[in-house]
Amino acid sequence: MSLAFSLGVAVSLVLMVVGGLGVYLASPSQRLLGSVRSPRRFLVAGGVLWGLAFLVLGGSMQGVAAAFTLVTWGMVVLMVWPVVAALRFGRGGR
C-alpha cells in the first residue's frame, strides 16, 4: 500500500468520527452536551464532514469501495457515540 492511500484512508476515518459526533449531537436525545441550541448546525457540519470523507476516500480508492467503506464506518460511528454517552453518564442521564 502506498503512503497516499494510507494517509487518505486515515484522514477520511477521522473525518467520519468527527462528522458522526456532529450528527449525534444534532439528535434531541443525545446525552453528551445536554440540550443543544442549534441542532441544525451540528447536522450540517456532520454532513459536510462526511462529504469531505467521501471525497478523500474517493481519491484514495475506487468509488464503490469508497462508498462501502463510508457506509460501514458510518454505521460503526453512529453506534459508538451513544454507547460512549451511556458509559460516561449512565442510563439515568447526567
Side-chain angles (χ1 to χ4, degrees):
M1 285 194 282
S2 70
L3 179 63
F5 174 78
S6 300
L7 186 61
V9 171
V11 167
S12 67
L13 294 182
V14 169
L15 288 171
M16 283 294 299
V17 169
V18 177
L21 178 62
V23 171
Y24 175 69
L25 291 176
S27 170
S29 61
Q30 58 89 15
R31 294 184 188 174
L32 287 177
L33 293 182
S35 64
V36 176
R37 288 186 175 201
S38 167
R40 181 173 285 171
R41 278 189 200 157
F42 285 108
L43 190 60
V44 168
V48 167
L49 289 173
W50 278 358
L52 287 173
F54 182 70
L55 290 176
V56 172
L57 272 179
S60 298
M61 58 180 72
Q62 294 179 357
V64 174
F68 180 77
T69 304
L70 187 81
V71 170
T72 304
W73 191 248
M75 288 187 297
V76 170
V77 166
L78 290 177
M79 181 206 66
V80 167
W81 284 119
V83 171
V84 167
L87 290 175
R88 184 167 180 209
F89 298 113
R91 292 196 76 181
R94 296 179 179 228

